[in-house]
Amino acid sequence: DDIDISAYELSRNHDMRKLVVSTLLTRLELMGILRSEGFYYSDIRFAPGCSSDKIFSHYAQSQATFLRKMFSCCTMAKKWVTLNTDQAVVATGFGRSVILRALEDLQNKGLVQLQMAGYRQRFHRLQTGVDRKKICRELLDTFIEHEKMEIGRIKNMLAYAEQEGCLTSYLLNYFGESIDRCGHCGTCLGDPAGELHEPRTEKMVNFKLEDLAGLIEEYPNALSRPRQQARFLCGLNSPAVSAAKKLRGNPVFGRLEQVPFAEVLEYCQNNIGN
């Protein structure tokens, strides 16, 4: 029931941005399915600035004994020493947090140059036998609802930019308050309302997408799903597209950037699919 994950690895493996992965994990915590247990670094290495005996001489006997046990779990290279934290936990009898504090102390004393990588999050599973399909459906519905809310906010901002009446009154109405006119905003002082131009758009019929089928077959991890295809055609990057470096330079990438994303997504769902 103890789980450790890398948000970076999940992002690459499932073609989701790290922020989305983090949001999903937070949702699972709020649903009482997981509980966060902190984080750790899976790859820890250091470059000693002096001999081991000199390092030990800076510590009391009990602390030096601890460091000797920890150093016995290291692999030596020309410059860097790699620590196997799992072995160090067993050899010293202390947890990762104690080992990490010891390494940080060595660095603070100028005895080693510390380098940590492989940031991983730890979770404990609180529920077993959950209905995964139901949870996926609930999470998907939540994300769709938030997507609609964000689009609504953008539309509200555009409406605000073109507002002919009192701008302060418009904002207060949004937050549930009301006034007639403030008397000091731009429109109240006689400035003309803003005028936004409609973005230039194209129709799907103006484009040929024969090349897309070959790309889907060649890059299934990046282009197998309709939303992935729509993002690619609109020129929106994703972790999987970034991993396949040649994809971003392909002429099909962004070919439909002048077509509204919703139309492209609908086309991919109805005409291309999985």
Side-chain angles (χ1 to χ4, degrees), residues 7 40 45 53 56 59 61 63 86 101 115 129 142 152 167 170 173 187 194 196 218 221 233 239 243 248 260-261:
Y40 72 95
R45 63 179 190 168
D53 289 338
F56 300 148
Y59 293 90
Q61 184 176 353
Q63 294 172 316
D86 291 330
R101 285 200 298 271
Q115 189 178 80
T142 299
L167 299 178
Y170 185 91
N173 281 329
T187 55
L196 299 178
E218 186 176 357
N221 291 336
L233 291 170
R248 287 200 62 181
F261 179 81

Side-chain angles (χ1 to χ4, degrees), residues 215-232:
L215 289 175
I216 294 172
E217 186 175 351
E218 186 176 357
Y219 299 97
N221 291 336
L223 298 173
S224 61
R225 301 192 297 271
R227 187 169 285 267
Q228 289 178 310
Q229 297 154 9
R231 286 193 311 223
F232 181 75

Side-chain angles (χ1 to χ4, degrees), residues 166 168-182:
C166 174
T168 305
S169 175
Y170 185 91
L171 286 175
L172 288 174
N173 281 329
Y174 180 82
F175 291 106
E177 300 182 30
S178 62
I179 60 172
D180 292 331
R181 295 178 69 84
C182 70

Side-chain angles (χ1 to χ4, degrees), residues 59-256:
Y59 293 90
Q61 184 176 353
S62 60
Q63 294 172 316
T65 300
F66 171 85
L67 291 176
R68 285 191 178 90
K69 291 178 179 179
M70 187 175 74
F71 280 17
S72 69
C73 304
C74 294
T75 302
M76 302 290 294
K78 186 175 182 180
K79 176 183 178 181
W80 294 98
V81 178
T82 302
L83 174 66
N84 187 317
T85 52
D86 291 330
Q87 290 182 8
V89 167
V90 175
T92 63
F94 289 91
R96 295 175 185 272
S97 59
V98 176
I99 293 169
L100 184 58
R101 285 200 298 271
L103 289 168
E104 289 175 341
D105 188 66
L106 288 169
Q107 180 172 248
N108 292 336
K109 284 182 168 62
L111 300 174
V112 302
Q113 178 186 348
L114 188 60
Q115 189 178 80
M116 294 184 290
Y119 179 88
R120 299 187 72 85
Q121 296 168 265
R122 299 175 61 200
F123 293 91
H124 180 75
R125 185 168 61 176
L126 300 174
Q127 294 185 32
T128 58
V130 296
D131 188 337
R132 295 187 182 185
K133 289 185 178 181
K134 180 183 177 182
I135 293 173
C136 289
R137 183 72 251 174
E138 291 177 0
L139 291 171
L140 179 59
D141 290 343
T142 299
F143 273 81
I144 292 174
E145 185 63 28
H146 277 275
E147 183 180 59
K148 292 178 180 177
M149 290 171 59
E150 291 300 320
I151 293 173
R153 288 192 182 99
I154 294 173
K155 289 181 177 179
N156 283 334
M157 288 301 298
L158 295 176
Y160 174 76
E162 296 182 302
Q163 179 66 19
E164 296 181 355
C166 174
L167 299 178
T168 305
S169 175
Y170 185 91
L171 286 175
L172 288 174
N173 281 329
Y174 180 82
F175 291 106
E177 300 182 30
S178 62
I179 60 172
D180 292 331
R181 295 178 69 84
C182 70
H184 55 71
C185 71
T187 55
C188 284
L189 295 175
D191 292 341
E195 184 179 354
L196 299 178
H197 299 285
E198 287 290 329
R200 175 175 168 267
T201 60
E202 296 281 351
K203 297 294 183 182
M204 288 291 306
V205 295
N206 297 335
F207 298 91
K208 295 182 179 180
L209 302 174
E210 291 85 353
D211 300 339
L212 183 61
L215 289 175
I216 294 172
E217 186 175 351
E218 186 176 357
Y219 299 97
N221 291 336
L223 298 173
S224 61
R225 301 192 297 271
R227 187 169 285 267
Q228 289 178 310
Q229 297 154 9
R231 286 193 311 223
F232 181 75
L233 291 170
C234 289
L236 301 174
N237 200 14
S238 73
V241 171
S242 296
K245 298 180 180 180
K246 293 183 179 179
L247 269 180
R248 287 200 62 181
N250 193 286
V252 181
F253 180 70
R255 182 174 289 179
L256 303 184

Side-chain angles (χ1 to χ4, degrees), residues 25-41:
L25 291 169
T26 301
R27 287 282 173 183
L28 291 173
E29 284 192 80
L30 292 173
M31 296 166 73
I33 296 173
L34 297 177
R35 181 182 66 227
S36 176
E37 298 287 345
F39 68 92
Y40 72 95
Y41 292 94

